[in-house]
Coordinates of all heavy atoms in Angstrom, one line a residue:
M65 N 14.1 -5.0 -16.5 CA 13.4 -3.7 -16.3 C 12.6 -3.9 -15.0 O 12.0 -4.9 -14.7 CB 12.5 -3.4 -17.5 CG 12.2 -1.9 -17.6 SD 11.1 -1.6 -19.0 CE 9.5 -1.6 -18.2
S66 N 12.5 -2.8 -14.2 CA 11.7 -2.9 -13.0 C 10.2 -2.7 -13.3 O 9.9 -2.2 -14.3 CB 12.2 -1.8 -12.0 OG 12.0 -0.6 -12.5
A67 N 9.4 -3.3 -12.4 CA 8.0 -3.3 -12.6 C 7.5 -1.9 -12.5 O 7.9 -1.1 -11.7 CB 7.3 -4.1 -11.5
T68 N 6.6 -1.5 -13.5 CA 5.9 -0.2 -13.3 C 4.6 -0.5 -12.6 O 4.0 -1.6 -12.7 CB 5.6 0.4 -14.7 OG1 4.6 -0.3 -15.3 CG2 6.8 0.6 -15.5
F69 N 4.2 0.5 -11.9 CA 2.9 0.4 -11.1 C 1.7 0.0 -12.0 O 0.9 -0.9 -11.7 CB 2.7 1.7 -10.3 CG 1.4 1.6 -9.5 CD1 1.3 0.7 -8.4 CD2 0.3 2.3 -9.9 CE1 0.2 0.6 -7.7 CE2 -0.9 2.2 -9.1 CZ -0.9 1.4 -8.0
E70 N 1.7 0.7 -13.2 CA 0.6 0.5 -14.1 C 0.5 -1.0 -14.5 O -0.5 -1.6 -14.6 CB 0.7 1.4 -15.3 CG 0.3 2.9 -15.0 CD 1.4 3.6 -14.1 OE1 2.5 3.1 -13.9 OE2 1.1 4.8 -13.6
K71 N 1.7 -1.5 -14.8 CA 1.8 -2.9 -15.2 C 1.3 -3.9 -14.1 O 0.6 -4.8 -14.3 CB 3.2 -3.3 -15.7 CG 3.3 -4.6 -16.3 CD 4.1 -4.5 -17.6 CE 3.8 -5.7 -18.5 NZ 4.1 -7.0 -17.9
S72 N 1.8 -3.6 -12.9 CA 1.4 -4.4 -11.7 C -0.1 -4.4 -11.5 O -0.7 -5.4 -11.2 CB 2.0 -3.9 -10.4 OG 3.4 -3.7 -10.5
M73 N -0.7 -3.2 -11.7 CA -2.2 -3.1 -11.5 C -2.9 -3.8 -12.6 O -4.0 -4.4 -12.4 CB -2.6 -1.6 -11.4 CG -2.2 -0.9 -10.2 SD -2.7 -1.8 -8.6 CE -1.2 -2.6 -8.2
E74 N -2.3 -3.8 -13.8 CA -3.0 -4.6 -14.9 C -3.0 -6.1 -14.6 O -4.0 -6.7 -14.8 CB -2.1 -4.3 -16.1 CG -2.8 -4.6 -17.5 CD -1.7 -4.4 -18.6 OE1 -1.2 -3.3 -18.7 OE2 -1.5 -5.5 -19.2
E75 N -1.9 -6.5 -14.0 CA -1.8 -7.9 -13.6 C -2.8 -8.2 -12.5 O -3.4 -9.2 -12.5 CB -0.3 -8.3 -13.2 CG 0.6 -8.5 -14.3 CD 2.1 -8.4 -14.0 OE1 2.4 -8.6 -12.8 OE2 2.9 -8.3 -14.9
M76 N -2.8 -7.3 -11.5 CA -3.8 -7.5 -10.4 C -5.2 -7.5 -10.9 O -6.0 -8.3 -10.3 CB -3.6 -6.3 -9.4 CG -2.4 -6.3 -8.5 SD -2.6 -7.3 -7.0 CE -2.7 -6.1 -5.7
S77 N -5.5 -6.7 -11.9 CA -6.9 -6.7 -12.3 C -7.3 -8.0 -13.0 O -8.5 -8.2 -13.2 CB -7.1 -5.5 -13.3 OG -6.4 -5.8 -14.5
R78 N -6.4 -8.8 -13.4 CA -6.7 -10.1 -14.0 C -7.0 -11.2 -12.9 O -7.5 -12.2 -13.3 CB -5.6 -10.6 -14.9 CG -5.7 -9.9 -16.2 CD -4.7 -10.5 -17.2 NE -3.9 -9.5 -17.9 CZ -2.6 -9.4 -17.8 NH1 -1.9 -10.3 -17.1 NH2 -1.9 -8.5 -18.4
L79 N -6.8 -10.9 -11.7 CA -7.0 -11.8 -10.6 C -8.5 -11.8 -10.2 O -9.1 -10.8 -10.3 CB -6.1 -11.5 -9.4 CG -4.6 -11.4 -9.6 CD1 -3.9 -11.0 -8.3 CD2 -4.0 -12.8 -10.0
S80 N -8.9 -12.9 -9.7 CA -10.3 -13.0 -9.1 C -10.2 -12.3 -7.7 O -9.1 -12.1 -7.2 CB -10.7 -14.4 -8.9 OG -9.9 -15.0 -7.8
P81 N -11.4 -11.8 -7.2 CA -11.4 -11.1 -5.9 C -10.7 -12.0 -4.8 O -9.9 -11.4 -4.0 CB -12.9 -11.0 -5.6 CG -13.5 -11.0 -6.9 CD -12.7 -11.9 -7.8
K82 N -10.8 -13.3 -4.9 CA -10.2 -14.1 -3.9 C -8.7 -14.2 -4.0 O -8.0 -14.1 -3.1 CB -10.8 -15.6 -4.1 CG -10.7 -16.4 -2.8 CD -11.5 -17.7 -3.0 CE -11.0 -18.7 -2.0 NZ -11.4 -20.1 -2.3
E83 N -8.3 -14.2 -5.3 CA -6.8 -14.2 -5.6 C -6.2 -12.9 -5.2 O -5.1 -12.8 -4.7 CB -6.5 -14.5 -7.0 CG -6.8 -15.9 -7.5 CD -6.7 -16.1 -9.0 OE1 -7.1 -15.1 -9.7 OE2 -6.3 -17.2 -9.5
R84 N -7.0 -11.8 -5.4 CA -6.5 -10.5 -5.1 C -6.3 -10.3 -3.5 O -5.3 -9.8 -3.1 CB -7.4 -9.4 -5.6 CG -6.7 -8.1 -5.8 CD -7.6 -7.1 -6.6 NE -8.1 -7.7 -7.8 CZ -9.3 -7.5 -8.3 NH1 -10.2 -6.8 -7.7 NH2 -9.7 -8.1 -9.5
D85 N -7.3 -10.8 -2.8 CA -7.2 -10.9 -1.3 C -6.0 -11.6 -0.9 O -5.3 -11.1 0.0 CB -8.4 -11.6 -0.8 CG -9.5 -10.7 -0.4 OD1 -9.5 -9.5 -0.9 OD2 -10.4 -11.1 0.4
A86 N -5.7 -12.8 -1.4 CA -4.6 -13.6 -1.1 C -3.3 -12.8 -1.3 O -2.3 -12.8 -0.6 CB -4.6 -14.9 -1.8
K87 N -3.3 -12.1 -2.5 CA -2.1 -11.3 -2.9 C -1.8 -10.2 -1.9 O -0.7 -10.0 -1.4 CB -2.4 -10.8 -4.3 CG -1.3 -9.9 -4.8 CD -0.4 -10.7 -5.8 CE 0.8 -9.9 -6.2 NZ 1.8 -10.7 -6.9
I88 N -2.9 -9.5 -1.4 CA -2.7 -8.4 -0.5 C -2.3 -9.0 0.9 O -1.4 -8.4 1.5 CB -4.0 -7.6 -0.3 CG1 -4.3 -6.9 -1.7 CG2 -3.9 -6.6 0.8 CD1 -5.6 -6.1 -1.8
K89 N -2.8 -10.2 1.2 CA -2.3 -10.8 2.5 C -0.8 -11.1 2.4 O -0.1 -11.1 3.4 CB -3.1 -12.0 2.8 CG -4.5 -11.7 3.3 CD -5.1 -12.7 4.2 CE -6.5 -12.3 4.8 NZ -7.5 -12.6 3.8
E90 N -0.4 -11.5 1.3 CA 1.1 -11.7 1.1 C 1.9 -10.4 1.3 O 2.9 -10.4 1.9 CB 1.3 -12.2 -0.4 CG 1.9 -13.5 -0.6 CD 1.9 -13.8 -2.1 OE1 2.7 -13.2 -2.8 OE2 1.1 -14.6 -2.5
L91 N 1.3 -9.3 0.7 CA 2.0 -8.0 0.9 C 2.0 -7.6 2.3 O 3.0 -6.9 2.8 CB 1.3 -7.0 0.0 CG 1.3 -7.2 -1.5 CD1 0.5 -6.1 -2.2 CD2 2.7 -7.3 -2.1
D92 N 1.0 -8.0 3.1 CA 0.9 -7.7 4.5 C 2.2 -8.1 5.3 O 2.6 -7.5 6.2 CB -0.3 -8.3 5.2 CG -1.6 -7.6 4.9 OD1 -1.5 -6.4 4.5 OD2 -2.6 -8.2 5.1
K93 N 2.7 -9.3 4.8 CA 3.9 -9.8 5.5 C 5.1 -8.9 5.3 O 6.1 -9.0 6.1 CB 4.2 -11.2 4.9 CG 3.1 -12.2 5.3 CD 3.5 -13.6 4.8 CE 2.3 -14.5 4.7 NZ 2.4 -15.5 3.6
L94 N 5.1 -8.1 4.2 CA 6.3 -7.3 3.9 C 6.1 -5.8 4.4 O 7.0 -5.1 4.5 CB 6.5 -7.3 2.4 CG 6.8 -8.6 1.7 CD1 6.7 -8.4 0.2 CD2 8.1 -9.2 2.2
C95 N 4.8 -5.5 4.7 CA 4.5 -4.1 5.0 C 5.2 -3.6 6.3 O 5.1 -4.3 7.3 CB 3.0 -3.9 5.1 SG 2.5 -2.2 5.6
I96 N 5.8 -2.5 6.2 CA 6.5 -2.0 7.4 C 5.8 -0.9 8.1 O 6.4 -0.2 9.0 CB 8.0 -1.6 7.1 CG1 8.1 -0.6 6.0 CG2 8.8 -2.8 6.7 CD1 9.5 -0.1 5.7
C97 N 4.6 -0.6 7.8 CA 3.8 0.4 8.5 C 3.8 0.3 10.0 O 3.9 1.3 10.7 CB 2.3 0.4 8.0 SG 2.1 1.0 6.3
P98 N 3.7 -0.9 10.5 CA 3.7 -1.0 12.0 C 4.9 -0.4 12.7 O 4.8 -0.1 13.9 CB 3.6 -2.5 12.3 CG 2.9 -3.1 11.1 CD 3.4 -2.2 9.9
R99 N 6.0 -0.2 12.0 CA 7.2 0.4 12.5 C 7.3 1.9 12.3 O 8.2 2.6 12.7 CB 8.4 -0.2 11.9 CG 8.7 -1.6 12.4 CD 10.1 -2.1 12.0 NE 10.0 -3.1 10.9 CZ 10.8 -3.3 9.9 NH1 11.8 -2.5 9.8 NH2 10.6 -4.3 9.1
C100 N 6.3 2.4 11.6 CA 6.3 3.8 11.2 C 5.9 4.8 12.3 O 4.9 4.5 13.0 CB 5.4 4.0 10.0 SG 5.2 5.7 9.5
P101 N 6.5 6.0 12.5 CA 6.1 6.9 13.5 C 4.7 7.5 13.3 O 4.1 7.8 14.3 CB 7.2 8.1 13.3 CG 8.0 7.8 12.1 CD 7.8 6.3 11.8
T102 N 4.3 7.5 12.0 CA 2.9 8.0 11.8 C 1.9 6.9 12.3 O 0.7 7.3 12.6 CB 2.7 8.2 10.3 OG1 3.6 9.3 9.9 CG2 1.3 8.5 9.9
Y103 N 2.3 5.7 12.3 CA 1.4 4.5 12.6 C 1.4 4.2 14.1 O 0.3 4.0 14.7 CB 1.9 3.3 11.9 CG 0.9 2.1 11.9 CD1 0.0 1.9 10.9 CD2 1.0 1.2 12.9 CE1 -0.8 0.8 10.9 CE2 0.2 0.1 12.9 CZ -0.8 -0.1 11.9 OH -1.6 -1.2 11.9
I104 N 2.5 4.3 14.7 CA 2.7 3.8 16.1 C 1.8 4.7 17.1 O 1.8 5.9 17.0 CB 4.2 3.9 16.5 CG1 5.0 2.8 15.8 CG2 4.4 3.7 18.0 CD1 6.5 2.9 15.9
G105 N 1.1 4.0 17.9 CA 0.3 4.7 18.9 C -1.0 5.2 18.5 O -1.8 5.8 19.2
T106 N -1.4 4.9 17.2 CA -2.7 5.4 16.7 C -3.8 4.4 17.0 O -5.0 4.8 17.0 CB -2.7 5.6 15.2 OG1 -2.3 4.4 14.6 CG2 -1.7 6.7 14.8
G107 N -3.5 3.2 17.3 CA -4.5 2.2 17.5 C -5.0 1.6 16.2 O -5.8 0.7 16.2
E108 N -4.4 2.0 15.1 CA -4.8 1.4 13.8 C -4.4 0.0 13.7 O -3.3 -0.4 14.3 CB -4.1 2.2 12.7 CG -4.3 1.7 11.2 CD -5.8 1.6 10.8 OE1 -6.5 0.7 11.2 OE2 -6.3 2.6 10.1
K109 N -5.2 -0.9 13.1 CA -4.8 -2.3 13.0 C -4.6 -2.6 11.5 O -3.9 -3.6 11.2 CB -6.0 -3.2 13.5 CG -6.3 -3.0 14.9 CD -5.3 -3.8 15.8 CE -5.7 -3.8 17.3 NZ -5.3 -2.5 17.9
M110 N -5.2 -1.9 10.6 CA -5.0 -2.2 9.2 C -3.6 -1.8 8.7 O -3.0 -0.9 9.3 CB -6.1 -1.3 8.4 CG -6.1 -1.5 6.9 SD -7.6 -0.8 6.2 CE -6.9 0.6 5.4
I111 N -3.1 -2.5 7.7 CA -1.8 -2.1 7.1 C -1.9 -2.2 5.6 O -3.0 -2.4 5.1 CB -0.6 -3.0 7.7 CG1 -0.9 -4.5 7.4 CG2 -0.4 -2.8 9.1 CD1 0.3 -5.5 7.7
T112 N -0.8 -2.1 4.9 CA -0.8 -2.1 3.5 C -1.8 -1.2 2.8 O -2.6 -1.6 2.0 CB -1.0 -3.6 3.0 OG1 -0.1 -4.5 3.8 CG2 -0.5 -3.8 1.5
F113 N -1.7 0.1 3.3 CA -2.6 1.1 2.8 C -2.4 1.4 1.3 O -3.3 1.9 0.6 CB -2.4 2.4 3.6 CG -2.5 2.2 5.0 CD1 -1.4 2.1 5.9 CD2 -3.8 2.1 5.6 CE1 -1.5 1.9 7.2 CE2 -3.9 1.9 7.0 CZ -2.8 1.8 7.8
C114 N -1.2 1.1 0.8 CA -0.9 1.3 -0.7 C -1.9 0.5 -1.5 O -2.2 0.9 -2.6 CB 0.5 0.9 -1.0 SG 1.0 -0.7 -0.5
A115 N -2.4 -0.7 -1.0 CA -3.3 -1.5 -1.7 C -4.7 -1.3 -1.2 O -5.7 -1.3 -2.0 CB -2.9 -3.0 -1.6
R116 N -4.9 -1.1 0.1 CA -6.2 -1.1 0.7 C -6.8 0.3 0.7 O -8.0 0.5 0.9 CB -6.2 -1.6 2.1 CG -5.9 -3.1 2.2 CD -6.4 -3.7 3.5 NE -6.2 -5.1 3.5 CZ -5.1 -5.7 4.0 NH1 -4.1 -5.0 4.4 NH2 -5.0 -7.0 3.9
G117 N -6.0 1.3 0.7 CA -6.5 2.7 0.7 C -6.4 3.3 2.1 O -5.8 2.7 3.0
K118 N -6.8 4.5 2.2 CA -6.6 5.4 3.4 C -7.1 4.7 4.7 O -8.0 3.9 4.7 CB -7.5 6.6 3.3 CG -6.8 7.8 2.6 CD -7.8 9.0 2.6 CE -7.5 9.8 1.4 NZ -8.5 10.8 1.1
S119 N -6.4 5.1 5.8 CA -6.8 4.7 7.1 C -8.0 5.6 7.5 O -8.0 6.8 7.2 CB -5.6 5.0 8.1 OG -6.1 4.9 9.4
K120 N -8.9 5.1 8.3 CA -10.0 5.9 8.9 C -9.5 6.5 10.2 O -10.2 7.4 10.7 CB -11.2 5.0 9.1 CG -11.9 4.6 7.8 CD -13.2 3.9 8.1 CE -14.0 3.6 6.8 NZ -13.3 2.5 6.1
I121 N -8.4 6.1 10.7 CA -7.9 6.5 12.0 C -6.7 7.5 11.9 O -6.7 8.5 12.6 CB -7.5 5.2 12.8 CG1 -8.8 4.4 13.0 CG2 -6.9 5.6 14.1 CD1 -8.5 3.0 13.6
I122 N -5.8 7.2 11.1 CA -4.5 8.0 11.0 C -4.8 9.3 10.3 O -5.3 9.3 9.2 CB -3.4 7.2 10.3 CG1 -3.1 5.9 11.0 CG2 -2.1 8.1 10.1 CD1 -2.1 5.0 10.3
K123 N -4.4 10.4 11.0 CA -4.6 11.7 10.4 C -3.4 12.6 10.4 O -3.2 13.4 9.5 CB -5.7 12.5 11.2 CG -7.1 11.8 11.3 CD -7.8 11.8 10.0 CE -9.1 11.0 10.1 NZ -9.4 10.3 8.9
N124 N -2.5 12.3 11.4 CA -1.3 13.2 11.5 C -0.1 12.5 10.8 O 0.3 11.4 11.3 CB -1.0 13.5 12.9 CG -2.1 14.3 13.6 OD1 -2.6 15.2 13.0 ND2 -2.4 13.9 14.8
E125 N 0.5 13.1 9.9 CA 1.7 12.6 9.2 C 3.0 13.0 10.0 O 3.2 14.1 10.2 CB 1.8 13.2 7.8 CG 0.6 12.8 6.9 CD 0.6 13.4 5.5 OE1 1.4 14.4 5.3 OE2 -0.2 13.0 4.7
K126 N 3.7 11.9 10.4 CA 4.9 12.1 11.2 C 6.1 11.4 10.6 O 7.0 11.0 11.3 CB 4.7 11.6 12.6 CG 3.6 12.2 13.4 CD 3.4 11.6 14.7 CE 2.2 12.1 15.5 NZ 1.9 11.3 16.7
G127 N 6.1 11.3 9.3 CA 7.1 10.6 8.6 C 6.5 9.3 7.9 O 5.5 8.8 8.4
C128 N 7.1 8.8 6.9 CA 6.6 7.7 6.1 C 7.7 6.8 5.7 O 8.7 7.2 5.1 CB 5.8 8.2 4.9 SG 5.2 6.8 3.9
L129 N 7.6 5.5 6.0 CA 8.7 4.5 5.7 C 8.5 3.9 4.3 O 9.3 3.1 3.9 CB 8.7 3.4 6.8 CG 8.9 3.8 8.2 CD1 9.0 2.5 9.1 CD2 10.2 4.6 8.4
C130 N 7.4 4.2 3.7 CA 7.0 3.5 2.4 C 8.2 3.5 1.4 O 8.4 2.4 0.8 CB 5.8 4.1 1.8 SG 4.3 3.8 2.7
P131 N 9.0 4.6 1.2 CA 10.0 4.5 0.2 C 11.1 3.4 0.5 O 11.7 3.0 -0.4 CB 10.7 5.9 0.3 CG 9.6 6.8 0.8 CD 8.8 5.9 1.8
T132 N 11.1 2.9 1.7 CA 12.1 1.8 2.0 C 11.4 0.5 2.1 O 12.1 -0.5 2.5 CB 12.8 2.1 3.4 OG1 11.9 2.1 4.4 CG2 13.5 3.4 3.4
C133 N 10.2 0.4 1.8 CA 9.4 -0.9 1.9 C 9.6 -1.7 0.7 O 9.5 -1.2 -0.4 CB 7.9 -0.6 2.2 SG 6.9 -2.0 2.1
P134 N 9.8 -3.0 0.9 CA 9.9 -3.9 -0.3 C 8.7 -3.9 -1.2 O 8.8 -4.2 -2.4 CB 10.2 -5.3 0.3 CG 9.9 -5.2 1.7 CD 10.0 -3.8 2.1
V135 N 7.5 -3.6 -0.7 CA 6.3 -3.6 -1.5 C 6.4 -2.5 -2.5 O 5.9 -2.7 -3.7 CB 5.0 -3.5 -0.6 CG1 3.8 -3.4 -1.4 CG2 4.9 -4.7 0.3
Q136 N 7.0 -1.4 -2.1 CA 7.1 -0.3 -3.0 C 7.8 -0.7 -4.3 O 7.3 -0.4 -5.4 CB 7.9 0.8 -2.2 CG 8.0 2.2 -2.9 CD 6.9 3.2 -2.5 OE1 5.8 2.8 -2.1 NE2 7.2 4.4 -2.8
S137 N 8.9 -1.3 -4.2 CA 9.6 -1.7 -5.4 C 9.0 -2.9 -6.1 O 8.9 -3.0 -7.4 CB 11.1 -2.0 -5.1 OG 11.2 -2.8 -4.0
R138 N 8.4 -3.8 -5.3 CA 7.8 -5.0 -5.9 C 6.6 -4.6 -6.9 O 6.4 -5.1 -7.9 CB 7.2 -5.9 -4.8 CG 6.6 -7.2 -5.4 CD 6.2 -8.2 -4.4 NE 7.4 -8.8 -3.7 CZ 7.4 -9.9 -3.1 NH1 6.3 -10.6 -3.0 NH2 8.4 -10.4 -2.5
L139 N 5.8 -3.6 -6.4 CA 4.7 -3.2 -7.2 C 5.0 -2.0 -8.1 O 4.1 -1.5 -8.9 CB 3.5 -2.8 -6.4 CG 2.9 -4.0 -5.5 CD1 1.6 -3.4 -4.8 CD2 2.5 -5.2 -6.4
G140 N 6.2 -1.4 -8.0 CA 6.5 -0.2 -8.8 C 5.8 1.0 -8.3 O 5.5 1.9 -9.0
L141 N 5.5 1.0 -7.0 CA 4.8 2.2 -6.4 C 5.8 3.3 -6.3 O 7.0 3.1 -6.2 CB 4.4 1.8 -4.9 CG 3.1 0.9 -4.8 CD1 3.1 0.2 -3.5 CD2 1.9 1.7 -5.0
R142 N 5.3 4.6 -6.4 CA 6.2 5.7 -6.4 C 5.7 6.9 -5.5 O 6.0 8.0 -5.7 CB 6.5 6.2 -7.8 CG 5.3 6.3 -8.7 CD 5.7 6.7 -10.1 NE 4.6 7.0 -10.9 CZ 3.9 6.2 -11.7 NH1 4.2 4.9 -11.7 NH2 2.8 6.6 -12.4
W143 N 4.8 6.6 -4.6 CA 4.2 7.6 -3.7 C 4.5 7.3 -2.3 O 5.2 6.4 -1.9 CB 2.7 7.7 -4.0 CG 2.4 7.9 -5.4 CD1 2.3 9.2 -6.1 CD2 2.1 7.0 -6.4 NE1 2.0 9.0 -7.4 CE2 1.9 7.6 -7.7 CE3 2.1 5.6 -6.5 CZ2 1.7 7.0 -8.9 CZ3 1.9 4.9 -7.7 CH2 1.6 5.6 -8.8
M144 N 3.9 8.2 -1.4 CA 4.1 8.0 0.0 C 2.8 8.3 0.7 O 1.8 8.7 0.1 CB 5.1 9.1 0.5 CG 6.5 8.8 0.1 SD 7.6 10.2 0.6 CE 7.7 10.0 2.4
Y145 N 2.8 8.1 2.0 CA 1.6 8.4 2.9 C 0.3 7.8 2.3 O -0.7 8.5 2.2 CB 1.5 9.9 3.0 CG 2.5 10.5 4.0 CD1 3.5 11.3 3.5 CD2 2.5 10.2 5.4 CE1 4.5 11.8 4.4 CE2 3.4 10.8 6.2 CZ 4.4 11.6 5.7 OH 5.4 12.1 6.6
Y146 N 0.3 6.5 2.0 CA -0.9 5.9 1.5 C -2.0 5.9 2.6 O -3.1 5.9 2.3 CB -0.6 4.4 1.1 CG 0.5 4.4 0.0 CD1 1.8 4.1 0.3 CD2 0.2 4.8 -1.3 CE1 2.8 4.1 -0.6 CE2 1.2 4.8 -2.3 CZ 2.5 4.4 -1.9 OH 3.5 4.5 -2.9
C147 N -1.6 5.9 3.8 CA -2.5 5.9 5.0 C -3.4 7.2 5.0 O -4.5 7.2 5.5 CB -1.8 5.6 6.3 SG -0.6 6.8 6.7
T148 N -2.8 8.3 4.6 CA -3.5 9.5 4.7 C -3.9 10.1 3.3 O -4.9 10.8 3.2 CB -2.7 10.6 5.4 OG1 -1.4 10.7 4.7 CG2 -2.4 10.3 6.8
K149 N -3.1 9.7 2.3 CA -3.4 10.3 0.9 C -4.1 9.3 0.0 O -4.6 9.7 -1.1 CB -2.1 10.7 0.3 CG -1.4 11.8 1.1 CD -0.4 12.6 0.2 CE 0.5 13.5 0.9 NZ 0.0 14.2 2.0
G150 N -4.2 8.0 0.3 CA -4.9 7.1 -0.5 C -4.0 6.0 -1.2 O -2.8 6.2 -1.2
S151 N -4.6 5.0 -1.7 CA -3.9 3.9 -2.3 C -3.0 4.3 -3.5 O -3.2 5.5 -4.0 CB -4.9 2.8 -2.8 OG -5.6 3.4 -3.9
G152 N -2.2 3.4 -4.0 CA -1.4 3.7 -5.2 C -2.3 4.0 -6.4 O -2.1 5.0 -7.1
M153 N -3.4 3.3 -6.5 CA -4.4 3.5 -7.6 C -4.9 4.9 -7.5 O -5.1 5.6 -8.5 CB -5.6 2.5 -7.5 CG -5.2 1.1 -7.8 SD -5.3 0.8 -9.6 CE -7.1 0.6 -9.8
E154 N -5.3 5.3 -6.3 CA -5.8 6.7 -6.1 C -4.8 7.7 -6.4 O -5.1 8.7 -7.1 CB -6.4 6.8 -4.7 CG -7.7 6.1 -4.5 CD -8.1 5.8 -3.0 OE1 -7.2 5.8 -2.1 OE2 -9.3 5.7 -2.8
Q155 N -3.6 7.5 -5.9 CA -2.6 8.6 -6.1 C -2.1 8.6 -7.5 O -1.6 9.6 -8.0 CB -1.4 8.4 -5.1 CG -1.8 8.6 -3.7 CD -0.6 8.9 -2.8 OE1 0.1 9.8 -3.0 NE2 -0.5 8.1 -1.7
A156 N -2.3 7.5 -8.3 CA -1.9 7.5 -9.7 C -3.0 8.1 -10.5 O -2.9 8.2 -11.7 CB -1.6 6.1 -10.1
G157 N -4.2 8.4 -9.9 CA -5.3 8.9 -10.6 C -6.0 7.9 -11.5 O -6.7 8.1 -12.4
M158 N -5.8 6.6 -11.1 CA -6.4 5.5 -11.8 C -7.8 5.1 -11.2 O -8.4 4.1 -11.7 CB -5.5 4.2 -11.8 CG -4.2 4.5 -12.5 SD -3.0 3.2 -12.2 CE -3.6 1.8 -13.1
K159 N -8.2 5.7 -10.1 CA -9.4 5.3 -9.4 C -10.1 6.5 -8.8 O -9.4 7.4 -8.4 CB -8.9 4.4 -8.2 CG -10.0 3.5 -7.7 CD -9.4 2.7 -6.6 CE -10.5 1.9 -5.8 NZ -9.8 1.1 -4.7
Ligands
LIG282 S1 4.5 0.7 0.7 FE1 3.9 1.5 2.7 S2 1.7 1.0 2.9 FE2 2.5 -0.2 1.3 S3 3.1 -2.1 2.3 FE3 4.9 -0.8 2.3 S4 4.9 0.3 4.2 FE4 2.9 -0.6 3.9
LIG283 S1 1.6 4.5 4.7 FE1 3.6 5.4 5.1 S2 3.1 7.0 6.6 FE2 1.4 5.6 6.6 S3 1.8 4.2 8.2 FE3 2.6 3.3 6.3 S4 4.7 3.9 6.3 FE4 3.7 5.2 7.7

């Protein structure tokens, strides 16, 4: 069975803040936001918005690569535009 987002978050919630940080840094290696038309040219440096939450810089949605990102399936994410709409937790109404 594929991971559900709720289950992934339950597992994440058992990690210490330090372990959670390390986990997000691992996801950074897989995040494809830097190749996204919404991201390119904005000057944004942050990535992995699905875990970190909205960008303070990105405002204009020009397409989203999240549905093809390996992090999406790894965490059971099912949303898009995390940079403008908020993290998976936020879009799931869990936060
Ligand atoms: S799902 Fe989107 S925001 Fe999350 S790591 Fe992948 S490309 Fe980045
Ligand atoms: S969250 Fe989606 S729209 Fe935003 S930069 Fe990443 S891939 Fe692009």
